[in-house]
Amino acid sequence: MSLSEKLDRVLYRADELRALLETADGAQVGVLSKELSELEPLVARVNALRAAECARDEAEALMADPEMRELAEAEFYAQRDAVPALEREIRLALLPRDAADEGSAILEIRPAAGGDEAGLFAAELFAAYQRYAPTRGWRFGILDYDESELGGIRGAVAEIEGRGVFARLKFESGVHRVQRVPATETQGRIHTSTVTVAVLPQAEEVDVQINESDLRIDTYRASGAGGQHVNKTDSAVRITHIPTGTVVAMQEERSQHKNRAKAMKVLRARLYEAQRSQASASRSADRRAQVGTGDRSERIRTYNFPQGRVTDHRIGLTLHKIDRVMQGEFDELFDALTAEDEAARLAAEGV
């Protein structure tokens, strides 16, 4: 099917939805209105494209008139240049969408290789994402933060709420490597450490059905570097999803009830992502078209402090601004990753 035929279908469906809404009632109104609101941005682009094509063709015809040639040429070249950009926007909008892209996400960071230094960098990277969230108008809520004695972390989990969080952060999943001289290093040697990052789409109860009978819930006394409630009450909660063996532990809150609610939120996100990964694995062509696989074992980025650079290995991008990145200025990286992913998906569609 040609692009023009696809766009005719989009316009026809929008008109059809408007007609149906005139006689719809009850639950139908909500369903139809939602579909129409999702289509309207694309309809606006289609109308803009067709107006530009019409203006281009009219200007080209007027160029044959000597008196109109100069004005017509200016209009022709302006509209000619506008058409490809509009076509690309429309082709992107027509690509299959990830239903999770527009939603919120769960961020998990844990030290991997490198001992205390890995824990320290994990804490710094977690803080960098925390600084980034407000620049997008997102809410960054800490679900769990297991601090070590030296000020690093054994692990941290956050809920990032807002529009388009998962789409923006999903390429962060993987192994992040840091190269620098640790504060504890007396001979000035550069150490290499790693941390793992996982970004999971936030799941609603309708996305994942969890049976209470499939859960084993244990309570225990919280432990950590400090906190008045540590080791005083059995407030920490560990939930095991027996069918999959997935385990989530939470101890950030003093309330056992609150820790259980947070643990269930993370468990739901992990099970939802496992379902999505299984479905994605069956679509190998889709996975090849992505920037990376999202696998936590894949080394995706290196933060080299002595050279002041951050390198994303998937797209070969190096930025010599590590201080700014660690302050939460991720947009240049995220824009490049998104653009590469869009180009790969367009190529996979044969565009």
Side-chain angles (χ1 to χ4, degrees):
M1 187 187 300
S2 69
L3 178 62
S4 181
E5 289 172 325
K6 290 180 181 179
L7 302 189
D8 286 341
R9 286 194 173 190
V10 168
L11 297 178
Y12 177 82
R13 180 57 179 166
D15 287 339
E16 185 179 43
L17 288 168
R18 293 188 190 100
L20 289 170
L21 278 168
E22 291 180 3
T23 57
D25 56 9
Q28 276 188 315
V29 172
V31 174
L32 296 172
S33 296
K34 184 176 185 294
E35 185 181 350
L36 181 59
S37 68
E38 290 174 350
L39 268 184
E40 280 175 339
L42 179 55
V43 169
R45 288 191 183 99
V46 173
N47 289 333
L49 171 64
R50 296 205 160 158
E53 289 173 332
C54 183
R56 176 200 61 193
D57 295 343
E58 289 177 355
E60 186 175 23
L62 286 172
M63 285 166 60
D65 184 342
E67 293 184 1
M68 299 293 294
R69 184 174 183 83
E70 187 174 347
L71 282 174
E73 275 189 345
E75 177 69 6
F76 171 76
Y77 290 122
Q79 299 301 334
R80 186 196 64 176
D81 293 342
V83 166
L86 286 166
E87 283 184 345
R88 187 177 191 279
E89 287 181 18
I90 288 168
R91 290 184 189 277
L92 283 172
L94 289 172
L95 286 174
R97 292 191 306 163
D98 187 336
D101 274 354
E102 288 303 304
S104 302
I106 300 291
L107 169 73
E108 296 187 64
I109 297 183
R110 304 195 183 283
D116 291 334
E117 171 63 8
L120 289 167
F121 181 67
E124 292 171 34
L125 189 57
F126 188 77
Y129 291 126
Q130 188 172 13
R131 295 186 190 101
Y132 178 69
T135 70
R136 306 288 298 188
W138 300 337
R139 189 189 76 83
F140 190 100
I142 296 176
L143 297 180
D144 196 44
Y145 194 88
D146 188 5
E147 189 175 4
S148 67
E149 289 75 8
L150 294 180
I153 56 173
R154 299 181 185 90
V157 183
E159 174 185 37
I160 308 177
E161 295 181 306
R163 185 175 177 83
V165 176
F166 184 68
R168 194 67 173 162
L169 296 183
K170 62 184 177 182
F171 301 123
E172 292 303 282
S173 290
V175 175
H176 294 239
R177 181 175 67 173
V178 59
Q179 295 174 322
R180 65 182 178 185
V181 179
T184 55
E185 171 59 53
T186 58
Q187 298 182 32
R189 291 175 297 188
I190 295 173
H191 286 224
T192 298
S193 305
T194 58
V195 306
T196 60
V197 173
V199 178
L200 313 174
Q202 192 174 73
E204 303 298 332
E205 290 189 26
V206 295
D207 298 320
V208 180
Q209 298 296 322
I210 300 177
N211 296 321
E212 287 289 326
S213 59
D214 289 336
L215 302 179
R216 184 175 70 245
I217 301 175
D218 302 308
T219 60
Y220 56 99
R221 293 193 176 184
S223 62
Q228 292 182 357
H229 71 297
V230 169
N231 292 324
K232 291 187 178 179
T233 62
D234 289 342
S235 59
V237 173
R238 182 187 300 107
I239 300 179
T240 303
H241 184 248
I242 298 169
T244 63
T246 304
V247 179
V248 178
M250 202 67 63
Q251 64 173 33
E252 182 69 14
E253 301 288 344
R254 298 186 182 190
S255 161
Q256 186 184 112
H257 175 73
K258 289 181 179 179
N259 280 329
R260 187 185 189 281
K262 287 184 173 183
M264 284 299 295
K265 186 174 291 188
V266 175
L267 176 63
R268 193 174 291 112
R270 289 186 185 174
L271 295 178
Y272 182 44
E273 179 60 15
Q275 290 178 7
R276 286 162 42 84
S277 296
Q278 186 175 12
S280 182
S282 67
R283 301 190 299 268
S284 59
D286 288 350
R287 289 183 68 80
R288 283 196 297 272
Q290 295 172 355
V291 176
T293 63
D295 191 328
R296 296 191 207 185
S297 65
E298 179 186 11
R299 190 191 73 189
I300 63 169
R301 191 173 301 147
T302 294
Y303 304 76
N304 187 301
F305 280 81
Q307 296 178 18
R309 62 176 171 83
V310 178
T311 298
D312 195 287
H313 303 293
R314 295 163 295 181
I315 57 175
L317 175 65
T318 295
L319 302 177
H320 293 277
K321 49 175 73 174
I322 194 167
D323 292 342
R324 289 163 62 183
V325 169
M326 296 307 296
Q327 287 300 311
E329 295 186 23
F330 287 107
D331 275 332
E332 192 170 352
L333 277 167
F334 294 171
D335 287 343
L337 287 162
T338 300
E340 184 72 16
D341 179 64
E342 289 174 347
R345 290 196 294 141
L346 284 172
E349 292 287 320
V351 177

